Amino acid sequence: MAHKPLRLLACGDVEGKFDVLFNRVRAIQKKSGNFDLLLCVGNFFGSTPDAEWEEYKTGIKKAPIQTYVLGANNQETIKYFQDADGCELAENITYLGRKGIFTGSSGLQIVYLSGTESLTEPVSGYSFSPKDVSSLRTMLCSTSQFKGVDILLTSPWPKYVGNFGNSSGEVDTKKCGSALISSLATSLKPRYHFAALEKSYYERLPYRNHVVLQENAQHATRFIALANVGNSEKKKYLYAFSIVPMKLMDTAELVKQPPDVTENPYRKSGKETSIGKQIPIPEEESVCQFFFDLNEKQGRKRSSTGRDSKSPHPKQPRKPPQPPGPCWFCLASPEVEKHLVVNIGTHCYLALAKGGLSDDHVLILPIGHYQSVVELSAEVVEEVEKYKSTLRCFFKNRGKRCVLFERNYKSHHLQLQVIPVPLSCCATDDIKDAFITQAQEQQIELLEIPEHSDIKQIAQPGAAYFYVELDTGEKLFHRIKKNFPLQFGREVLASEAILNIPNKSDWRQCQISKEEEEILARRFRKDFEPFDFTLDD
């Protein structure tokens, strides 16, 4: 059952401009309906006279929404925050406290840390220390069930938040901000993180909280810095968003990665930085993260030293390896059911799948004997990509999107399965969700591969794996360690969530006569001919 999302507002430095803020909130609510909470980060009080605040404090005026604020960031405003554990400042306006966790009746979890960074003890009443950050981390992360928090509120920006992301404008994130908050954000994995103090608006691209192919997929984090209320440059100081508490969400929905997700800005080589230390990220970070080198040309691998393994002397093309025995898929083999072959290129060929999920379920196969995509030579990879691109155009023209998958496990010859899915059946995200959900149900770690990455950079020749490629280019990968369900790819695609033909999950139950196969093959050859790139050679 879908849960109704909470509607929240977040605000930057109010600096005593209470009327400006609350009049703006009233206007928004009049136009868009009521919101549940207003969360204020940065300086709530300013250097302005107290007359305006007195009207709220005495009840003459009232905040139009339940408002939660952070504490002092300077000596001047400490006087407004008498209770370190938090208290009501005025009707509908509550000071959260120096640090802690606020959990709403809906289950929404908000972690807050007031003040600015101080690395010396004792800290002032408007600062936080490494001990404060450590205690928050211990409070939350000590259980194995911890997945993250919904919202993190801090006044300073986290240091280095701009790494791998979009431009942060005039704010240099390598020089300003708090390294302690960077460390805290890395540990707490908030879905939203709000900050202020820099009088600037910055909505960073979402970043991932897991190391790809080393950890299970986790939710992404969105960092939003807000400007000061009523600023003359008209910079955004109020941010509206909807959120369903993490504890109420389905795992597959929670870990869904946004299309513009980036690497975690606070990590280097996938290791979390020590608390209280500056995060040692160089001035210019390469786009090469972990063991994915996105600058490498397709089909080339890097050694552990980072040097290109390509020889300076080009090797002569070599013949593909020969099968140790009879092979059902080597094109020259007498075992091949040649009536199923529908197109032949220079290095690869297309064949109808035996017992296919649909009449146009096809396989891309190398003509020579290769066990997996990882072992293909460069020229074969190039033609595989040509076939993939052509089939996408072919199926799109017929109102379908195609899903590709390979299972390099208990197989001897590469079979790249290409299954068309009618556009009317479901969206690409639905297909992705179905794979992730069914993988989790069967305790299969299906991880998302960074866009534009090459499967050869992930799996070594001879390694067992399963991978799926969607029409958007997104890829999901599982490294097979022990057992793996042989029909997993078919089962997901045949499920009610996608093609809704669960009775066809086993190819052996879908076999038809040779005469019927010949009819389907002739039909496919005729339909595919206008798209056939081999005719241009």
Side-chain angles (χ1 to χ4, degrees):
M1 186 180 96
H3 295 275
K4 185 180 178 182
L6 296 165
R7 303 180 73 226
L8 308 184
L9 291 168
C11 177
D13 305 274
V14 180
E15 297 183 331
K17 296 179 181 178
F18 310 114
D19 287 346
V20 175
L21 169 62
F22 293 134
N23 287 338
R24 177 69 180 137
V25 170
R26 286 187 187 94
I28 290 172
Q29 294 203 123
K30 185 176 181 180
K31 181 180 179 181
S32 306
N34 289 337
F35 283 76
D36 297 290
L37 296 175
L38 168 63
L39 307 171
C40 296
V41 294
N43 293 314
F44 188 67
F45 294 98
S47 56
T48 54
D50 286 345
E52 193 173 311
W53 172 243
E54 283 298 318
E55 290 183 307
Y56 288 90
K57 188 176 179 182
T58 58
I60 296 172
K61 291 182 178 178
K62 178 184 172 183
I65 183 174
Q66 186 62 53
T67 303
Y68 291 93
V69 309
L70 293 182
N73 297 295
N74 51 60
Q75 185 65 46
E76 187 182 0
T77 56
I78 287 180
K79 62 183 180 182
Y80 297 103
F81 305 99
Q82 297 299 316
D83 190 342
D85 294 326
C87 60
E88 186 175 81
L89 301 178
E91 188 174 357
N92 269 3
I93 303 175
T94 301
Y95 163 46
L96 286 165
R98 291 283 297 276
K99 67 177 186 295
I101 307 154
F102 171 83
T103 304
S105 57
S106 62
L108 185 76
Q109 197 170 50
I110 301 171
V111 174
Y112 54 90
L113 180 63
S114 294
T116 56
E117 178 181 303
S118 173
L119 299 179
T120 58
E121 295 283 355
V123 297
S124 64
Y126 56 86
S127 298
F128 58 85
S129 68
K131 284 183 179 178
D132 293 318
V133 172
S134 182
S135 68
L136 272 176
R137 183 189 281 112
T138 303
M139 206 183 304
L140 284 153
C141 307
S142 54
T143 65
S144 58
Q145 290 81 28
F146 178 75
K147 294 180 180 178
V149 299
D150 291 304
I151 299 170
L152 174 61
L153 303 178
T154 64
S155 287
W157 290 30
K159 203 167 189 177
Y160 302 111
V161 70
N163 282 322
F164 315 125
N166 46 318
S167 171
S168 53
E170 67 272 22
V171 179
D172 185 349
T173 61
K174 290 181 173 69
K175 294 179 180 176
C176 79
S178 164
L180 286 179
I181 289 176
S182 304
S183 177
L184 183 65
T186 305
S187 298
L188 297 191
K189 304 171 188 174
R191 293 164 65 201
Y192 284 87
H193 180 183
F194 294 98
L197 295 185
E198 300 298 333
K199 301 187 183 301
S200 182
Y201 170 69
Y202 174 47
E203 183 170 2
R204 191 202 184 281
L205 291 173
Y207 64 82
R208 58 173 66 93
N209 281 298
H210 61 280
V211 180
V212 177
L213 296 180
Q214 294 181 32
E215 299 172 334
N216 289 338
Q218 298 176 44
H219 58 272
T221 292
R222 299 175 188 274
F223 172 77
I224 297 108
L226 295 160
N228 48 314
V229 170
N231 65 85
S232 57
E233 296 92 345
K234 306 290 184 186
K235 294 177 182 177
K236 189 169 182 175
Y237 63 83
L238 207 54
Y239 185 91
F241 65 109
S242 297
I243 185 169
V244 173
M246 181 187 293
K247 64 183 296 183
L248 302 178
M249 290 186 69
D250 174 71
T251 302
E253 185 66 25
L254 177 64
V255 304
K256 189 183 291 184
Q257 301 294 295
D260 52 355
V261 70
T262 77
E263 295 298 343
N264 190 309
Y266 316 125
R267 283 178 173 165
K268 184 185 177 187
S269 301
K271 294 178 182 178
E272 187 178 334
T273 318
S274 304
I275 183 168
K277 295 181 181 178
Q278 279 204 341
I279 301 176
I281 296 178
E283 281 297 309
E284 294 299 329
E285 185 76 35
S286 164
V287 295
C288 307
Q289 278 281 290
F290 316 130
F291 49 87
F292 298 108
D293 189 344
L294 307 187
N295 285 332
E296 288 291 315
K297 291 181 181 177
Q298 191 176 55
R300 285 162 61 179
K301 291 180 285 188
R302 292 179 294 122
S303 67
S304 58
T305 62
R307 290 192 295 271
D308 197 322
S309 60
K310 186 178 178 183
S311 167
H313 304 292
K315 293 182 180 179
Q316 293 299 315
R318 60 180 181 182
K319 292 181 180 179
Q322 299 302 304
C327 177
W328 290 95
F329 299 103
C330 286
L331 192 57
S333 170
E335 281 79 13
V336 169
E337 296 193 53
K338 291 187 169 56
H339 67 283
L340 293 172
V341 176
V342 292
N343 190 266
I344 302 175
T346 306
H347 305 287
C348 304
Y349 71 98
L350 285 185
L352 285 184
K354 197 166 186 68
L357 280 167
S358 62
D359 291 348
D360 43 7
H361 174 175
V362 293
L363 309 176
I364 303 174
L365 304 117
I367 291 172
H369 189 76
Y370 293 92
Q371 183 170 328
S372 69
V373 164
V374 173
E375 297 178 9
L376 296 180
S377 61
E379 62 269 18
V380 183
V381 168
E382 185 178 348
E383 193 164 276
V384 167
E385 292 301 320
K386 247 184 187 179
Y387 267 119
K388 283 158 65 172
S389 176
T390 303
L391 285 168
R392 286 192 185 103
C393 292
F394 171 67
F395 286 123
K396 185 177 180 181
N397 187 260
R398 300 166 74 84
K400 301 176 182 182
R401 58 170 54 87
C402 59
V403 179
L404 297 90
F405 71 82
E406 178 196 1
R407 187 199 75 231
N408 183 32
Y409 174 70
K410 294 193 176 180
S411 60
H412 301 288
H413 190 114
L414 166 62
Q415 303 159 54
L416 193 55
Q417 308 270 346
V418 185
I419 298 92
V421 177
L423 296 174
S424 57
C425 272
C426 54
T428 302
D429 279 349
D430 297 325
I431 298 172
K432 183 178 175 182
D433 288 348
F435 270 101
I436 291 171
T437 301
Q438 291 202 38
Q440 289 170 342
E441 288 174 358
Q442 299 187 47
Q443 296 183 317
I444 295 169
E445 293 181 355
L446 197 57
L447 306 174
E448 192 164 354
I449 301 173
E451 194 178 355
H452 308 307
S453 62
D454 183 352
I455 198 80
K456 290 190 173 191
Q457 296 170 295
I458 301 160
Q460 296 297 316
Y465 64 84
F466 172 85
Y467 99 97
V468 186
E469 186 172 336
L470 306 175
D471 61 323
T472 55
E474 295 172 278
K475 298 171 188 169
L476 303 171
F477 176 89
H478 170 66
R479 194 184 306 280
I480 300 172
K481 296 174 183 175
K482 290 185 179 178
N483 298 320
F484 185 79
L486 298 182
Q487 304 296 334
F488 177 71
R490 283 185 66 111
E491 286 171 0
V492 176
L493 289 164
S495 68
E496 293 180 5
I498 303 178
L499 292 172
N500 195 19
I501 46 172
N503 58 314
K504 288 193 172 186
S505 60
D506 187 337
W507 70 273
R508 289 164 295 194
Q509 306 300 318
C510 306
Q511 293 187 75
I512 55 178
S513 67
K514 183 177 179 180
E515 290 74 20
E516 290 173 302
E517 288 175 339
E518 288 173 338
I519 292 169
L520 293 180
R522 281 197 298 271
R523 186 188 304 161
F524 189 94
R525 290 186 201 106
K526 182 181 178 182
D527 292 341
F528 187 70
E529 189 173 349
F531 299 84
D532 186 0
F533 66 86
T534 65
L535 299 177
D536 302 329
D537 295 340

